[in-house]
């Protein structure tokens, strides 16, 4: 009996080993790289890649990275983000492609083991490359295309002692495009499957190496003969759901490609476990072949659903896929993380635009346009997480990845999954380069440009590859053929009618970003500063994919990239409406504020200009979101701000700068996009409330404060208002309120504070507006008397600070307080920092609380910096 028990334990231990050990160790090659310009060595690829070959004259390289990234690391070029430094770097159009054609080399340790294969993975090379390992060239012809992954079995090329060398020569795209000042320069950069912004745009100067390099990750993976590839998980969530804990069942369909690198037929099973059940499918794959395997559809009891930001939790589900071969045991094991959700769309006949549904609920889209994280492709999981958290904190629920950039990386989508941000992913097309309109900057006419890129098959292959890479992310909501213009007809038909139905038939496809299927007869814009009333009274397109405005940061932001001698405020001439800006401001694409800053008084210096610009930023982006939400489902089904961020030190259209320092536009947008939000309609002089909750009505009371100098009028409306779900309604037509705002003082303007309560003392939203005086300006703000403010900052756990604010004045309004964290020693800002509110105003005898979160840094003690309007900065110690 004892012997039998021990035998059972032995076999159970074998089963545990089979099912718990990972069959495919995988690691990144991101250290020890060296590089050299190709024309500076006479050695061939075979010689360079031979282990032991001395690399004389080579320099350390940054991989993943571009040629410019490595040159900057080695201090061979100045920082192209600062001042006019970018002009000191040779542009590839002038220098020739050879100038940025580089060898990249690294050594690694791997030995061949019987029955195993060693795979070399490249997740992205721009543009062409030849790959060598241990003196052997691995590819017969040059590998081209920025957006296509490469996997090569290098088992037979490994050395016996395990000391190996990998060498890659990387070629720039050709043609590189003439950066002549046009959008995408002369347009010819679009003849390749690469990012188009590198030839310059209206928010960036040319990137002089055109992002040439091994720009994404390189991996080594060890696996057995059988390998699971391109796992695909599709969830079905029938019916209209709520975010309750109890859910009716959902369905899961899982498939994968099984690749057999062995010399014999592989028979076995593919399986995964879900809620205690094992779902499996028998396979038989010929040698050196691959086959698609579809597993049985699985029902999921009480599934934990994934919801967009503001609609519920972002629960993720994980399964482990296993490939077990007869006679071999576990060949491969892959973890797959996904969200259970279903996305559908419908046509709104009233708005003449598309609606988005998630888990059966209609979602009003509050979105932002995303270019990419960094112009030199210096990506990291941490930076992605910070940037996408900013978008979540702005109360947005969608991000559109613009078509002149890249297919965003899995780490970007991981952050979107985490923060509930739906994604509309463009492919690599733009109306500017691909011929939507005549453009004198372009080398070719529209007929020729509409056939770009040169290699249609490669473009389609890249689409297929990137779809496979990203399709399991629940945040990925829609595919889009390009920015403002579709791909050539043959490519469009193949992508729309063949590739997408075969690989990802669950997501809606727009032919381009303002196609009629998104919004009938739509264009986009405006992109420049507008009167706030414009967004309330002017009817835009039903689903506007791009509407934007200004967006410079404050003086701390500007000082990071503008030399002191150039920190000169722009001059605006009211006659003729012209503005004049310093050359560095112009080089960094300064977008004019027209007379908007002057309305607060002529700026004394750059610091004063930037501080007043924050008032404009706040009002512009709050007005965009409030104006569109005021007509939700009546005029609009969604809006996407152009744009929320810049990958370079540009001075246009951003909620935070490239150093992750927010400006006031972020918090104006955050206010306007709150799930439950009270707002003042400047056209009809009424109070409205928007409720984005998909299922629950909200019962609220309204109170208001009108502050005019020492005259503070408080209004209490004890009526209960019920705000239906998924709507925006007028709760008060307020002629009395209008009269008090307009006539309380004949010269100065004033403040209107709107507050919503869900209980006698529980504020669920408040919103402060400031109004011009009779002269139409806000100059009266310069004479605001300081308020008596009590501010305390208290640490509340790791990386979290609670700021309590109390205005002790019985008459003075505390206006536009900006909070930041600084290093106690240097007084330099700590970034990134996440605030639930900022640039806040506190009426007399009012109170507010701000929650600040940040990543603690070794050796840095944080201190709170408060910058109050008309008072200046003060620093406050943080209590433990």
């Amino acid at each position: 009996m004892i012997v039998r028990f021990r035998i059972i334990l032995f076999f159970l231990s074998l089963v545990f080993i089979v099912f718990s050990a990972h069959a495919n160790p995988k690691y990144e090659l991101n250290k020890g790289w060296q590089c050299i310009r190709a024309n500076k060595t006479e050695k061939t690829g075979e010689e360079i890649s031979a282990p032991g070959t001395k690399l004389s004259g080579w320099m350390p390289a940054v991989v993943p990275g571009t040629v410019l990234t490595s040159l900057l690391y080695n201090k061979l070029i100045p920082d192209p983000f600062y001042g006019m430094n970018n002009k000191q770097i040779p542009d590839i159009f002038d220098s020739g492609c050879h100038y940025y054609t580089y060898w990249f080399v690294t050594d690694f340790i791997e030995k061949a083991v019987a029955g195993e294969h060693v795979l070399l993975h490249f997740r992205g090379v721009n543009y062409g490359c030849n790959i060598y390992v241990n003196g052997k060239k691995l590819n017969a012809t040059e590998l081209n295309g920025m957006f296509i992954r490469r996997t090569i079995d290098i088992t037979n090329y490994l050395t016996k002692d395990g000391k190996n060398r990998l060498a890659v020569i990387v070629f720039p795209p050709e043609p590189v495009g003439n950066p002549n000042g046009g959008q995408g320069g002369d347009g010819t950069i679009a003849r390749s499957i690469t990012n188009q912004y590198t030839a310059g745009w209206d928010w960036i100067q040319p990137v002089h190496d055109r992002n040439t390099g091994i720009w994404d990750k390189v991996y080594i993976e060890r696996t057995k003969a059988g390998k699971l590839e391109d796992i695909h998980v599709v969830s079905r969530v029938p019916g209209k759901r709520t975010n309750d804990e109890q859910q009716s069942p959902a369905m899961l369909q899982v498939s994968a490609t099984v690749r057999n690198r062995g010399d014999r037929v592989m028979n076995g099973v593919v399986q995964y476990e879900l809620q205690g059940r094992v779902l499996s499918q028998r396979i038989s794959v010929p040698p050196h072949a691959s086959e698609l395997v579809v597993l049985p559809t699985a029902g999921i009891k009480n599934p934990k659903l994934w919801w967009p930001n503001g609609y519920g939790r972002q629960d993720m589900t994980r399964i482990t896929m296993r490939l077990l071969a007869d006679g071999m045991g576990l060949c491969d094991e892959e973890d797959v993380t996904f969200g259970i959700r279903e996305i559908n769309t419908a046509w709104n006949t009233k708005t003449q635009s598309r609606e988005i549904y998630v888990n059966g609920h209609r979602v009003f889209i509050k979105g932002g346009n995303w270019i990419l994280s960094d112009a030199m492709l210096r990506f990291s999981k941490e930076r992605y997480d910070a940037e996408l958290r900013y978008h979540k904190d702005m109360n947005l629920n969608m991000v559109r990845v613009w078509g002149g950039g890249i297919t965003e990386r899995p780490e970007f989508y991981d952050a979107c999954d985490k923060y509930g941000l739906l994604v509309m992913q463009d492919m690599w097309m733009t109306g500017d380069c691909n011929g939507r309109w005549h453009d004198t900057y372009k080398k070719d006419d529209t007929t020729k440009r509409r056939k770009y890129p040169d290699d249609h098959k490669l473009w389609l292959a890249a689409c297929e590859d990137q779809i496979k890479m990203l399709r399991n992310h629940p945040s990925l909501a829609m595919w889009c053929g390009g920015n403002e213009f579709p791909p050539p007809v043959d490519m469009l038909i193949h992508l729309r009618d063949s590739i997408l139905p075969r690989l990802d038939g669950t997501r809606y496809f727009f032919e381009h970003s303002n196609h009629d299927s998104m919004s009938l007869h739509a264009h986009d814009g405006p992109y420049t500063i507008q009167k706030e009333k414009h967004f309330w009274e002017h009817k835009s397109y039903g689903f506007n994919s791009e509407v934007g405005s200004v967006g410079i940061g404050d003086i701390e932001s500007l000082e990071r990239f503008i030399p002191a001698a150039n920190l000169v405020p722009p001059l605006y001439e009211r006659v003729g409406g012209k503005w004049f800006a310093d050359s560095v401001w112009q080089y960094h694409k300064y977008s004019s504020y027209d007379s908007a800053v002057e309305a607060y008084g002529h700026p004394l210096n750059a610091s004063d200009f930037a501080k007043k610009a924050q008032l404009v930023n706040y009002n512009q982006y709050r007005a965009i979101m409030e104006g569109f939400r005021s007509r939700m489902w009546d005029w609009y089904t969604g809006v996407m701000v152009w744009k929320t961020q810049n990958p370079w030190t540009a001075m246009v259209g951003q909620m935070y700068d490239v150093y992750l320092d927010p400006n006031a536009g972020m918090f104006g947008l955050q206010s306007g996009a709150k799930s439950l939000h009270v707002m003042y309609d400047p056209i009809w002089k009424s109070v409205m409330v928007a409720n984005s909750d998909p299922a629950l009505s909200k019962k609220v009371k309204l109170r208001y404060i009108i502050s005019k100098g020492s005259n503070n009028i408080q209004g209490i409306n004890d009526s209960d208002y019920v705000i239906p779900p998924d709507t925006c309604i007028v709760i008060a037509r307020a002629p009395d309120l209008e009269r008090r705002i307009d006539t309380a003082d004949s010269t100065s303007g004033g403040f209107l504070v709107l507050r919503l309560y869900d209980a006698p003392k529980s504020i669920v939203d408040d919103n402060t507006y400031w109004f011009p005086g009779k002269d139409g300006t806000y100059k009266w703000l310069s004479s605001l008397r300081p308020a008596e403010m009590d501010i305390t900052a208290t640490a509340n756990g790791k990386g979290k600070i609670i700021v309590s604010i109390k205005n002790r004045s019985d008459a003075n309004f505390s206006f536009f307080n900006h909070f930041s964290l600084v290093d106690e020693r240097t007084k330099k800002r700590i970034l990134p920092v996440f605030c639930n509110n900022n640039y806040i105003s506190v009426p007399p005898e009012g109170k507010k609380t701000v929650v600040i979160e940040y990543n603690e840094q070794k050796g840095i003690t944080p201190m709170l910096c408060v910058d109050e309007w008309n008072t200046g900065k003060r620093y406050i110690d943080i209590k433990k």
Side-chain angles (χ1 to χ4, degrees), residues 396-412:
L396 302 182
N397 54 33
M398 178 173 278
V399 176
R400 173 192 163 218
V401 181
W402 176 72
I406 66 174
T407 328
E408 265 302 352
R409 303 297 86 197
E411 293 77 15
F412 166 91

Side-chain angles (χ1 to χ4, degrees), residues 319-340:
I319 59 173
T320 300
M321 295 281 291
R322 295 185 177 93
L323 169 60
L324 298 107
D326 296 348
M328 296 174 60
L330 181 64
C331 276
D332 194 14
E333 184 178 71
E334 299 284 347
D335 292 330
V336 187
T337 303
F338 56 94
I340 300 172

Side-chain angles (χ1 to χ4, degrees), residues 157-187:
Y157 300 95
L158 299 175
T159 61
K160 291 183 179 180
D161 64 3
K163 297 178 180 179
N164 306 281
R165 175 167 291 177
L166 167 64
V168 185
I169 185 170
V170 182
F171 308 98
E174 289 194 70
V176 298
N178 179 1
N180 57 10
Q183 306 270 73
D186 69 357

Side-chain angles (χ1 to χ4, degrees), residues 27-204:
Y27 58 91
E28 187 178 350
L29 291 180
N30 57 6
K31 296 178 181 178
W33 286 88
Q34 299 181 72
C35 68
I36 194 171
R37 189 185 300 161
N39 63 6
K40 286 190 174 182
T41 179
E42 296 180 354
K43 289 184 171 65
T44 65
E46 287 79 5
E47 292 172 321
I48 291 170
S49 64
T53 297
K54 292 185 178 180
L55 303 177
S56 178
W58 291 54
M59 61 184 173
V62 179
V63 174
T66 64
V67 172
L68 286 187
T69 310
S70 290
L71 293 177
L72 182 62
Y73 177 83
N74 289 283
K75 299 181 180 180
L76 295 177
I77 58 169
D79 180 3
F81 286 35
Y82 184 82
M84 306 290 269
N85 283 353
N86 196 51
K87 298 186 76 172
Q88 301 178 37
I89 303 170
D91 188 81
I92 193 170
F93 181 77
D94 302 311
S95 67
C97 285
H98 68 276
Y99 193 84
Y100 290 108
T101 299
Y102 267 69
W103 279 103
F104 293 86
V105 169
T106 192
D107 296 331
F108 64 98
I109 304 297
E110 281 292 343
K111 285 185 178 181
V113 176
E116 294 186 354
H117 295 257
V118 177
L119 307 179
L120 173 64
H121 300 286
F122 289 88
R123 213 170 70 175
V125 177
N126 191 31
Y127 181 73
C129 67
N130 290 320
I131 303 168
Y132 299 79
V133 169
N134 297 331
K136 302 291 184 180
K137 186 178 180 183
L138 304 187
N139 51 299
T141 60
E142 183 179 310
L143 302 174
N144 290 310
M146 183 176 185
F147 307 112
I148 192 162
R149 297 170 295 170
R150 311 284 181 182
T151 295
I152 305 172
D153 188 339
I154 60 172
T155 310
N156 295 333
Y157 300 95
L158 299 175
T159 61
K160 291 183 179 180
D161 64 3
K163 297 178 180 179
N164 306 281
R165 175 167 291 177
L166 167 64
V168 185
I169 185 170
V170 182
F171 308 98
E174 289 194 70
V176 298
N178 179 1
N180 57 10
Q183 306 270 73
D186 69 357
T188 57
I189 188 70
R191 288 176 57 185
S192 299
I193 295 93
T194 188
N195 43 9
Q196 298 180 8
Y197 73 86
T198 55
W201 222 268
D202 59 4
W203 40 263
I204 193 170

Side-chain angles (χ1 to χ4, degrees), residues 3 13 85 93 195 226 272 320 324 367 373 463 679 716 762 792 807 862:
V3 172
S13 67
N85 283 353
F93 181 77
N195 43 9
Y272 71 95
T320 300
L324 298 107
S373 184
C463 287
M679 51 195 180
I716 299 176
S762 181
T792 60
N807 184 353

